[in-house]
Amino acid sequence: MLEEALSLIEEQGNASFTLREVARRIGVSHAAPYRHFADKRALMTELAVQASAALGARISAALEGAGGDLRARFLAAGFAYVAFALEHPAPFHVMYSGEVDVDDPRVTAATAQNLGVLLGFIEEAQRAGAFPPGDPRALAVPIWAMHHGLATLAASGALAKAGPAALRDLVDDAHARLLDGLLLAAPGPSRV
């Protein structure tokens, strides 16, 4: 059911399907989905939880794989967000759908875990003296907005002319400019 719901979202570009349509496409009775999900909102919520976990794992792996360099880690995490949106457009769309129960404890936990990864990165940069001190949440908003904005533009096809290699350069350049704006002025001519 979950896979078919994602297929419908990919085909239609939105979540306008019904559980009855999902049941018909997978060849079960129209009542069968209700044995697993109370309603469409519950199905969408499950999809959002799974997508959020997958995105968080992708970003965490990118941060870890980039080594200890702050800039490399920031760019890797930003591109991981964008790449997830390109490779998994339906799950990405579902995570931010109005049909998800944002008060569901699993959604709240998944969101908090992903925000925790970002806040952890910011706190690390603050301890290193690269980011200004203060509430890391104040820095999380512009970073998340940049990640999400670029991902949404890429997933919508607005950046399609760039091609894969040029897209990586474009995303890295945008994230580097944001990072440069967030960094504290370092003594001497070089910055992180």
Side-chain angles (χ1 to χ4, degrees):
M1 278 185 279
L2 296 172
E3 289 175 17
E4 193 59 41
L6 288 174
S7 293
L8 283 164
I9 293 167
E10 285 177 8
E11 289 170 19
Q12 299 173 4
N14 60 42
S16 64
F17 65 89
T18 63
L19 285 182
R20 181 180 288 261
E21 185 177 357
V22 172
R24 181 188 60 75
R25 287 184 60 158
I26 61 174
V28 297
S29 76
H30 70 275
Y34 295 98
R35 292 187 191 119
H36 304 281
F37 301 102
D39 54 21
K40 180 181 170 185
R41 185 175 179 93
L43 181 140
M44 294 291 286
T45 299
E46 178 60 30
L47 288 171
V49 168
Q50 290 181 9
S52 187
L55 175 60
R58 178 96 175 241
I59 292 170
S60 293
L63 284 168
E64 189 173 311
D69 180 69
L70 176 75
R71 180 172 296 276
R73 294 180 76 224
F74 188 80
L75 298 181
F79 191 73
Y81 194 106
V82 173
F84 181 85
L86 285 171
E87 294 166 16
H88 307 285
F92 183 77
H93 173 77
V94 169
M95 285 191 313
Y96 300 102
S97 167
E99 295 192 60
V100 171
D101 180 0
V102 296
D103 295 324
D104 183 292
R106 297 168 310 136
V107 172
T108 304
T111 301
Q113 184 169 344
N114 287 348
L115 180 59
V117 171
L118 177 55
L119 292 174
F121 175 85
I122 293 168
E123 290 166 352
E124 180 184 326
Q126 287 174 319
R127 284 190 300 275
F131 281 5
D135 184 358
R137 292 177 188 272
L139 298 177
V141 171
I143 294 169
W144 181 31
M146 176 67 83
H147 290 349
H148 191 74
L150 287 168
T152 300
L153 287 169
S156 73
L159 306 177
K161 291 181 182 177
L167 177 64
R168 176 67 191 248
D169 291 342
L170 185 149
V171 169
D172 283 353
D173 181 63
H175 280 110
R177 290 172 189 272
L178 175 63
L179 179 62
D180 288 344
L182 293 171
L183 293 172
L184 290 171
S190 66
R191 294 175 76 163
V192 174

